[in-house]
Amino acid sequence: MLENVGAGRFYRVYVLHAGLTDDTIRLLESIKAPQLTVRCLNVEPLVESKGTQLHVCGHFSKEAYFRLLIPEVFSAFSRVVYLDCDLVVNRDIADILPPDMGDKLLGAVRDQPILYMSKYITEELRLNDENYFNSGVLVFNIARWNAEITTEKCFAYIKTAQPEKLRFVDQDVLNVVCADRVLFLDAAWNYYSFAVLSTDPIFRPFLERMGERFYLVHFAGVKPWSHPEMPLSLYFWRYAKNSVFFERILKTMGETAAEELKKQKAETDELKVQNARLQYDLDCVHASVSFRVGRAITWAPRKLRGGVRCYKEHGAAYTAHRFLEHLTGKAQRPW
């Protein structure tokens, strides 16, 4: 954001959390510039005050629901941009703000079509899958949202919804509660990196339409700090090298790589043990009387079958040559 800030603009950045370490907070709030400040806000007490059991699943955690609190926490602002933490900004973020949101509650980008999601959206959530949006990038119309007590409606839905209707947690809540009240933004403001990785032809029209317009790259799924070789990861590393967290990123990557090597070594050692056991069992079979008797009984049929196959594949001359080698036990000069 700071490297792409527009002239004459000032940004207040707030990191919502539920117990970051003091060291992490110190590093985040050390990011200061004439046009940008960073503050960390612990919103866990506010979440608990809602008295709602928050459903989590898969890689989602309770922090995913924190964005529902934004209009309440930042009621003094007219509009607020929410960004997930697994993305990078390549353009002045103020450009995302629509000139007029009218009576819309949110601004968002439509999610990319995936077959299993489409079925879930239409059958479980009872929504139009073409208008299902991703909650990783949002523009809140604060006054309209609060006037319609939308936060309370969101938490009311969470209380009554079955877990199977919260597969994508807060994102499903927002789509249900804000249905038909969303201003759809240019997809370049939430460009999913997995679309480039996927071989599914369903993404081809999206990729052709978008071209190189990566206003905001969203690393949903595979992360560039775990897989730096992935497409579009350069957008992450371009900024990471100037980040106050760069040393921590490299340290974490090193620790993760060491842990992965340790895991792979343990798996290799286990495979070696299993292989030794199998080899021992095989040697025991070969040493048994029954195996030797069986090999002796089947010797003639096996040789005959091999000879026929050799004749079919290589002809009479080669077969006779191989027969003499087996018979004398010596390599024969080809004729």
Side-chain angles (χ1 to χ4, degrees), residues 85-99:
C85 60
D86 58 347
L87 50 79
V88 293
V89 179
N90 295 317
R91 179 172 169 171
D92 186 357
I93 194 62
D95 292 342
I96 196 176
L97 295 172

Side-chain angles (χ1 to χ4, degrees), residues 20-21 63 67 91 109 149 168 189 205 217 269 272-273 328:
L20 288 173
T21 65
E63 281 81 3
R67 74 199 89 194
R91 179 172 169 171
V109 173
I149 55 173
F168 297 97
W189 287 111
V217 181
D269 292 342
K272 288 180 179 178
V273 170
T328 61

Side-chain angles (χ1 to χ4, degrees), residues 92-110:
D92 186 357
I93 194 62
D95 292 342
I96 196 176
L97 295 172
D100 181 19
M101 295 189 70
D103 67 345
K104 302 297 186 183
L105 300 171
L106 282 174
V109 173
R110 288 183 173 89

Side-chain angles (χ1 to χ4, degrees), residues 3 11 41 50 79 90 109 117 145 189 224-225 267 270 274 276 284 292 297 300 323 333:
E3 292 190 24
Y11 300 87
L41 298 179
K50 301 299 179 182
R79 291 181 292 181
N90 295 317
V109 173
M117 279 187 64
W145 178 288
W189 287 111
W225 50 89
E267 292 174 350
E270 178 60 26
Q274 293 178 14
C284 289
R292 293 179 178 181
I297 294 172
F323 175 74
R333 181 178 299 175

Side-chain angles (χ1 to χ4, degrees), residues 157-169:
Y157 180 78
I158 295 169
K159 286 182 179 179
T160 58
Q162 298 296 318
E164 60 268 20
K165 290 189 177 181
L166 291 174
R167 186 180 297 180
F168 297 97
V169 295

Side-chain angles (χ1 to χ4, degrees), residues 110-144:
R110 288 183 173 89
D111 217 333
Q112 291 306 302
I114 302 176
L115 185 58
Y116 80 91
M117 279 187 64
S118 180
K119 184 176 180 181
Y120 165 70
I121 293 165
T122 56
E123 296 183 5
E124 295 293 337
L125 299 181
R126 306 290 183 183
L127 296 174
N128 180 352
D129 62 338
E130 294 183 358
N131 289 331
Y132 186 86
F133 60 87
N134 181 274
S135 63
V137 178
L138 300 171
V139 178
F140 284 90
N141 189 354
I142 301 295
R144 175 59 63 179

